[in-house]
Amino acid sequence: MMSTKLILTYISLISGLWPIITAIINLKNIDFTLKLVAVFFCISAMFDFAGWLFLKRYLNITTSIPLLHIYIIISVIFYGFIYYLSFQQKQFKIITLIMTVFALTAILFYTVKNSILVYPSSSNTVLCIFLVPLSLLYFYQLLNLKEFIHIERLPMFWINSAVLIYFSINIFLFMLFNRLSSNHQSNFYMIPSVTNIIANLLFAIGLLCKPQKIT
């Protein structure tokens, strides 16, 4: 009988397909930004599959850990571009660009400093520090709209909520991961699995919404 941890791992892996499926279903109604989001989820699903191969012992740590470093860099680039397109105010766009550059610089620094063969605890932490403020800034934008709009019908409301939930919950885990024993690391993997399932469900809901213009 499979353990709860393993079941959650497989559900988390399968959940990565939910946003892709909903994007395909709603393809004619999504704009360029959401298509970019969908492309990112396709890339994310491929990396998740690589993680599954590692879990099944088809990939060794020398192969899998560098993939995590690459995925984090791709995540910063995609999320930076997605938020840049989603913000309406020029100053928010400038903040996004600056934060993206700083995040990429910090991640490359830690990758070289700590080795590409070591789990990217610091780089994941930087990714969280990069995305949590951006997601809060997007909510601030929604709270200051000039006209009334049903925010629950906005695709980015759901996508942004998923980003905030996933990265705000996991930031301390990523920060401390390399300091935990192997047994504790294995147990704590349940937290990213659960938050990943929740996030992918919210991503899927977002990609089912029809884009609306906000001002």
Side-chain angles (χ1 to χ4, degrees):
M1 182 179 294
M2 289 193 297
S3 65
T4 301
K5 179 177 63 178
L6 194 57
I7 291 172
L8 286 173
T9 298
Y10 280 114
I11 295 175
S12 176
L13 177 65
I14 294 171
S15 72
L17 298 176
W18 299 343
I20 298 173
I21 294 171
T22 55
I24 294 172
I25 293 172
N26 199 35
L27 187 60
K28 64 179 181 180
N29 292 320
I30 62 177
D31 58 14
F32 175 76
T33 301
L34 293 182
K35 287 178 180 176
L36 190 65
V37 172
V39 170
F40 173 68
F41 289 145
C42 289
I43 295 173
S44 180
M46 288 189 290
F47 278 93
D48 284 343
F49 180 68
W52 176 80
L53 291 176
F54 171 68
L55 181 69
K56 300 297 288 184
R57 312 288 186 186
Y58 296 132
L59 287 180
N60 56 39
I61 192 169
T62 306
T63 305
S64 61
I65 295 298
L67 289 177
L68 289 177
H69 289 273
I70 295 171
Y71 176 69
I72 292 171
I73 293 173
I74 292 174
S75 296
V76 171
I77 295 171
F78 267 90
Y79 275 121
F81 195 24
I82 289 165
Y83 275 103
Y84 178 85
L85 294 174
S86 300
F87 285 127
Q88 304 299 311
Q89 298 182 39
K90 184 178 180 181
Q91 60 267 35
F92 290 173
K93 291 180 178 290
I94 293 174
I95 290 172
T96 303
L97 287 176
I98 293 172
M99 290 181 65
T100 302
V101 172
F102 272 102
L104 282 174
T105 302
I107 287 169
L108 290 173
F109 169 77
Y110 283 119
T111 300
V112 174
K113 177 177 178 291
N114 298 331
S115 173
I116 199 170
L117 298 179
V118 175
Y119 180 84
S121 177
S122 298
S123 296
N124 262 327
T125 303
V126 171
L127 181 61
C128 294
I129 294 172
F130 166 63
L131 287 174
V132 170
L134 279 183
S135 60
L136 292 174
L137 196 60
Y138 185 80
F139 277 131
Y140 175 81
Q141 173 178 272
L142 291 183
L143 291 173
N144 288 273
L145 296 176
K146 296 179 181 178
E147 62 182 47
F148 175 79
I149 190 169
H150 294 279
I151 60 173
E152 73 278 4
R153 297 178 185 175
L154 290 173
M156 273 303 296
F157 167 76
W158 297 100
I159 292 169
N160 189 65
S161 297
V163 170
L164 180 59
I165 290 172
Y166 182 84
F167 289 100
S168 62
I169 290 177
N170 289 309
I171 183 171
F172 294 108
L173 173 61
F174 291 145
M175 190 181 299
L176 301 173
F177 191 83
N178 284 341
R179 300 181 183 180
L180 300 173
S181 64
S182 298
N183 289 334
H184 282 92
Q185 287 179 355
S186 178
N187 292 331
F188 277 111
Y189 258 124
M190 293 176 65
I191 299 175
S193 293
V194 172
T195 52
N196 192 51
I197 293 167
I198 296 171
N200 281 325
L201 177 61
L202 296 177
F203 286 141
I205 294 173
L207 287 169
L208 277 177
C209 296
K210 186 176 181 179
Q212 301 179 56
K213 185 177 181 181
I214 62 175
T215 58

